[in-house]
Amino acid sequence: MYYGVDIGSTYTKIVGIDDNKNIIDIKVLDTVINPDEQVKEYLKDKPIETLVATGYGRYMMQEAFDVPVISEIKAHAKGAYFFFPDVRTVIDLGGQDSKVIKVTEGGNFDNFKMNDKCAAGTGKFIEMAAVKLQIPLDEFGDFCKKADKTIQISSMCAVFAESEVISLMAKKEKPENIGYGIIDSIASRLAGMAKSIRPEDKIVFTGGGAKNSLLRELLSKKLKKEVYTPEYPQMMGAFGAALAGYETTKGVTNE
């Protein structure tokens, strides 16, 4: 089997694929201290042909396992291209950053833009809001679709935005309205970043943030383009890493 490991700031994702590039193993772990030890425990006794690491913790994996690494940008481009061969733009929303990636024919990338300076534009902000509003993260998008008005979250910093949320809660604003405002603000940030590098069709949304149904809708609306999402958007980095290992073993080139 060909494994890919994506150690992110919030979750560690593991994907295994077979000789036909079918996903046959998926695991998501909370990223804790020494995530390489968690990965080692999970992968013991697995029939591993190759292992490739990506994500913020990829160099930890390289040191611990002596395995090759690829960047998250390359991994997400490769993963999205596999499921959508005509993809030209990938928008990835992870726990710690967000990225817009221009994809070429063959699944490589030729340009990207990243926000890793402000948490207000990342998946972590959605998680914080869901906890504050006491809504399960997996249900947060659908819950916020019940909003009956749009509240503008104007703070550009996650710390001040959190204070803004607390202030709205103190005014007894409906949780779904607050949540809608938060997701709308993130969609605006992503769309603005995407427009800055002129997104081309087809657009694919990856990362844990793509699991939020309302965010997908609002992003599509703001870009005025259809946005596609793979079945496992959170796993695209790990899948792309696994695919890189497969291609190296099989001598596949994507020129």
Side-chain angles (χ1 to χ4, degrees), residues 102-132:
K102 297 288 284 289
V103 182
T104 64
E105 288 188 32
N108 296 310
F109 71 94
D110 65 358
N111 192 12
F112 71 94
K113 192 158 187 177
M114 176 185 291
N115 164 36
D116 59 357
K117 305 296 183 188
C118 175
T122 70
K124 197 67 180 175
F125 190 36
I126 297 177
E127 287 195 16
M128 179 280 294
V131 169
K132 281 285 181 191

Side-chain angles (χ1 to χ4, degrees), residues 3-252:
Y3 271 92
V5 176
D6 176 5
I7 298 183
S9 61
T10 308
Y11 300 107
T12 294
K13 289 81 70 177
I14 304 171
V15 168
I17 62 176
D18 64 13
D19 276 320
N20 295 314
K21 295 181 274 191
N22 297 310
I23 295 177
I24 56 174
D25 193 4
I26 283 181
K27 186 69 175 178
V28 179
L29 304 165
D30 291 334
T31 296
V32 295
I33 296 175
N34 299 323
D36 56 316
E37 294 295 329
Q38 279 188 305
V39 174
K40 185 177 182 180
E41 177 65 21
Y42 181 74
L43 291 180
K44 71 177 182 182
D45 303 326
K46 302 280 187 183
I48 300 174
E49 182 77 21
T50 61
L51 176 62
V52 176
T54 188
Y56 283 96
R58 61 186 182 273
Y59 293 114
M60 178 192 298
M61 287 291 299
Q62 185 178 47
E63 186 171 333
F65 292 83
D66 190 24
V67 296
V69 299
I70 63 173
S71 71
E72 296 164 87
I73 295 164
K74 185 175 182 178
H76 278 267
K78 187 177 285 294
Y81 180 79
F82 178 83
F83 291 104
F84 302 94
D86 51 351
V87 62
R88 290 296 173 267
T89 305
V90 173
I91 298 174
D92 168 45
L93 181 61
Q96 187 168 297
D97 64 30
S98 52
K99 300 179 274 295
V100 180
I101 307 162
K102 297 288 284 289
V103 182
T104 64
E105 288 188 32
N108 296 310
F109 71 94
D110 65 358
N111 192 12
F112 71 94
K113 192 158 187 177
M114 176 185 291
N115 164 36
D116 59 357
K117 305 296 183 188
C118 175
T122 70
K124 197 67 180 175
F125 190 36
I126 297 177
E127 287 195 16
M128 179 280 294
V131 169
K132 281 285 181 191
L133 299 173
Q134 299 184 320
I135 307 299
L137 185 60
D138 289 343
E139 302 171 14
F140 195 48
D142 289 338
F143 172 79
C144 296
K145 288 180 180 178
K146 301 172 185 173
D148 55 18
K149 70 176 180 182
T150 301
I151 295 173
Q152 188 168 16
I153 304 296
S154 56
S155 298
M156 300 297 288
C157 166
V159 174
F160 292 121
E162 184 176 3
S163 298
E164 201 172 343
V165 169
I166 292 170
S167 176
L168 289 165
M169 292 169 65
K171 295 176 182 174
K172 291 190 175 294
E173 184 56 77
K174 290 181 180 178
E176 53 266 43
N177 291 344
I178 300 173
Y180 190 101
I182 290 166
I183 295 171
D184 186 65
S185 72
I186 294 173
S188 294
R189 287 168 183 267
L190 288 176
M193 191 164 62
K195 288 175 181 175
S196 71
I197 62 170
R198 299 184 180 182
E200 299 176 55
D201 296 335
K202 173 184 270 183
I203 299 173
V204 174
F205 191 17
T206 67
K211 295 169 66 178
N212 188 294
S213 60
L214 178 59
L215 182 55
R216 294 196 302 268
E217 288 183 14
L218 292 175
L219 183 59
S220 179
K221 183 178 179 182
K222 291 177 188 296
L223 289 173
K224 298 179 180 177
K225 294 176 181 290
E226 190 164 359
V227 173
Y228 298 83
T229 306
E231 182 177 2
Y232 304 110
Q234 187 180 21
M235 310 305 292
M236 281 304 97
F239 175 74
L243 205 54
Y246 170 92
E247 291 173 350
T248 299
T249 301
K250 301 293 186 182
V252 177

